[in-house]
């Protein structure tokens, strides 16, 4: 009798429990904010306080300024290829732009239209890495990887997130990243480990107050860490469909390369499944936007917007392109086509903004 009463109470309690409400989805409509740049693709993008964007074109080794107000795409003024021959990373602090150069192993600082402000050589302690973030206190943050080695086996080790003081004299490891998805390939020199093309990787960044966030591609979660690396919040696993890498995905990837390089690119090993997200961006309201994987040539691309309490909203953008950046006001997408890259700017919907 007592067991039956407990069973009845359990059933009644379950019946009274309402299912969790579905995550709201917001569709952003096309705005007409479109510009075209004659470059193959963009790898880095940052918005300045006046609404202009600065972007790196890695194939052409250019730094460009995108201005929707006057519909122009121009090289960064007074920045010469002698001073920045190999732009690779991009940081913005107010209106100051910092460019990491992989060839010269230094960071140069610039204001729009002014001569170079500073050139900062990178120390030996970070083993060839360039800064990926900087907080309001001037601390630098690097992603340091183990050298791949002759057979590539070093790729199996975790990369480290390293924090340095403003003078680049003290270095602390504050987090580890997941190793990449590797394939064993038979090459001319023997067996070699290589990262699978179109596989995932952890994404991370730093907020102005020094809070570190990491989007984990294997667990499909986002975690927040204090300045010393202690985990202070972590989302539950986020909902995500399982998408296979198809032949169309492989062909789109190969189109990124010049014709004479495509044969070598075809010999790479491709992932079997797409990662849950392709990129991640943090906004000033302490939210992280995960740019979700999609079927090839899908006309709608999706972001999951999360904060430290979990998934808040899903934002859908009418574009077949790749996410280049998200700011407090704008979502920037890039669509590749034979003449270059089409840049599309969409407003951040009010429902996707935090307090």
């Amino acid at each position: 009798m007592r067991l039956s009463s407990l069973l009845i109470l359990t059933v009644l309690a379950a019946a009274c429990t309402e299912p969790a409400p579905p995550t709201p989805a917001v569709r952003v409509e096309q705005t007409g904010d479109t510009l075209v740049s004659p470059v193959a693709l963009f790898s880095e993008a940052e918005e300045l306080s006046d609404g202009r964007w600065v972007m790196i074109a890695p194939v052409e080794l250019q730094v460009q300024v995108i201005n929707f107000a006057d519909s122009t795409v121009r090289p960064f003024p007074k920045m010469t290829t002698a001073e920045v021959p190999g732009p690779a990373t991009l940081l913005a602090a107010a209106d100051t732009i910092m460019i990491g150069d992989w060839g010269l192993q230094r960071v140069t600082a610039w204001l729009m239209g002014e001569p170079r402000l500073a050139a900062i050589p990178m120390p030996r302690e970070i083993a060839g890495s360039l800064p990926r973030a900087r907080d309001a206190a001037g601390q630098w943050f690097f992603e340091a990887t183990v050298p791949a080695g002759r057979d590539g086996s070093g790729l199996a080790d975790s990369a480290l997130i390293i924090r340095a003081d403003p003078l680049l004299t003290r270095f602390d490891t504050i987090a580890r990243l997941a190793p990449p998805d590797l394939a064993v390939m038979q090459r001319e020199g023997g067996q070699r480990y290589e990262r699978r093309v179109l596989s995932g990787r952890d994404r991370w960044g730093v907020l102005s107050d020094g809070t570190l966030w990491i989007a984990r591609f294997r667990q499909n979660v986002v975690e927040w860490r204090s300045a010393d690396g202690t985990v202070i919040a972590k989302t539950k696993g986020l909902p995500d469909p399982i998408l296979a890498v198809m032949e169309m995905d492989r062909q789109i990837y190969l189109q990124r390369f010049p014709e004479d390089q495509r044969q070598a690119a075809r010999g790479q090993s491709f992932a079997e499944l797409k990662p849950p997200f392709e990129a991640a961006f943090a906004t000033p309201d302490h939210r992280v936007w995960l740019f979700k994987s999609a079927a090839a040539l899908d006309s709608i691309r999706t972001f999951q917007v999360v904060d430290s309490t979990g998934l808040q909203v899903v934002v859908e953008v009418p574009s077949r392109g790749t996410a280049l950046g998200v700011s407090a006001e704008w979502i920037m997408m890039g669509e590749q086509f034979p003449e270059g890259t089409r840049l599309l700017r969409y407003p951040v919907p009010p429902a996707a903004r935090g307090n």
Side-chain angles (χ1 to χ4, degrees), residues 122-129 142 144 162 168-171:
M122 294 294 100
R124 293 191 305 270
E125 286 84 350
I126 44 88
S129 298
F142 300 84
I162 295 176
L168 294 169
T169 59
R170 188 178 66 254
F171 303 87

Side-chain angles (χ1 to χ4, degrees), residues 25-35 45-47 51-53 55 66 68 279-285 287-292 300-305 313-335 342-353:
V26 180
R27 175 73 60 88
V28 180
E29 299 303 327
Q30 184 81 36
T31 66
D33 287 343
T34 304
L35 290 175
E46 292 284 351
E47 187 187 31
R52 288 182 291 184
W53 289 73
M55 301 186 185
I66 314 300
F68 284 91
F281 310 94
T283 46
D285 55 11
R287 291 187 165 195
V288 173
W289 290 57
L290 300 176
F291 179 57
K292 308 301 290 182
I300 300 294
R301 297 307 305 263
T302 300
F303 294 86
Q304 288 178 335
V305 184
V313 65
V314 173
V315 177
E316 299 173 344
V317 176
S319 171
R320 291 183 171 87
T322 298
L324 299 176
V326 181
S327 69
E329 301 291 335
W330 302 104
I331 302 165
M332 181 69 72
M333 302 289 293
E335 297 180 349
R342 184 182 296 107
L343 298 166
L344 301 101
R345 187 178 69 162
Y346 303 87
V348 171
R353 299 177 182 178

Side-chain angles (χ1 to χ4, degrees), residues 57-352:
V59 176
E60 293 81 6
L61 297 176
Q62 295 180 10
V63 180
Q64 293 194 345
V65 180
I66 314 300
N67 191 346
F68 284 91
D70 62 8
S71 301
T72 58
V73 177
R74 299 188 178 101
F76 196 100
K78 297 193 176 181
M79 183 184 295
T80 67
T81 54
E83 290 179 299
V84 187
T89 62
L90 175 61
L91 304 177
D95 288 329
T96 301
I97 289 293
M98 297 182 180
I99 306 291
D101 189 291
W102 59 266
L104 297 180
Q105 279 296 294
R106 70 180 187 182
V107 171
T108 51
W110 304 81
L111 282 174
M112 193 73 66
E114 299 289 335
R116 188 187 71 198
L117 298 178
I120 307 167
M122 294 294 100
R124 293 191 305 270
E125 286 84 350
I126 44 88
S129 298
L130 292 169
R132 305 295 306 185
R134 200 178 189 209
D135 65 14
Q139 298 182 111
W140 305 86
F141 295 81
F142 300 84
E143 182 175 324
T145 58
V146 175
R150 296 184 61 181
D151 65 350
S153 59
L155 296 173
D157 292 328
S158 298
L160 306 176
I161 299 178
I162 295 176
R163 180 187 59 206
D165 68 308
L167 297 179
L168 294 169
T169 59
R170 188 178 66 254
F171 303 87
D172 300 298
T173 298
I174 57 174
R176 290 179 176 271
L177 303 176
D181 183 14
L182 300 180
V184 180
M185 305 296 291
Q186 197 64 38
R187 300 302 186 192
E188 185 176 340
Q191 184 174 280
R192 182 171 179 80
Y193 294 86
E194 297 179 5
R195 182 182 180 274
R196 294 185 190 274
V197 177
L198 303 182
S199 60
R201 66 182 180 89
D202 288 351
R203 307 283 178 158
W204 64 276
V206 178
L207 304 178
S208 60
D209 63 1
T211 300
L212 169 70
W213 60 266
I214 305 175
R216 302 283 189 183
F217 82 97
R218 295 191 189 279
Q219 301 90 349
N220 197 20
V221 300
V222 181
E223 62 186 42
W224 283 260
R225 295 177 175 238
S226 62
D228 64 0
T230 303
V231 177
I232 54 179
K234 184 177 180 179
T235 66
K236 297 179 180 179
L238 298 168
D240 198 69
I242 297 175
L243 299 173
V245 173
M246 309 297 287
E247 180 60 26
M248 180 61 74
D249 297 300
R250 291 185 278 269
Q251 292 303 318
I252 292 172
Y253 170 79
L254 293 173
Q255 291 301 317
R256 301 175 184 175
F257 294 89
E259 187 66 40
D260 60 346
Q261 299 178 20
R262 288 179 191 169
Q263 187 58 40
R266 287 188 182 94
Q268 300 179 85
S269 176
F270 285 80
E272 295 182 2
L273 298 176
K274 295 185 177 184
F277 49 83
E278 298 179 12
F281 310 94
T283 46
D285 55 11
H286 288 207
R287 291 187 165 195
V288 173
W289 290 57
L290 300 176
F291 179 57
K292 308 301 290 182
S293 292
L297 301 180
D298 196 332
S299 61
I300 300 294
R301 297 307 305 263
T302 300
F303 294 86
Q304 288 178 335
V305 184
V306 303
D307 63 15
S308 58
T309 65
L311 178 60
Q312 297 301 309
V313 65
V314 173
V315 177
E316 299 173 344
V317 176
S319 171
R320 291 183 171 87
T322 298
L324 299 176
V326 181
S327 69
E329 301 291 335
W330 302 104
I331 302 165
M332 181 69 72
M333 302 289 293
E335 297 180 349
Q336 292 175 269
F337 70 115
E339 285 73 36
T341 298
R342 184 182 296 107
L343 298 166
L344 301 101
R345 187 178 69 162
Y346 303 87
V348 171

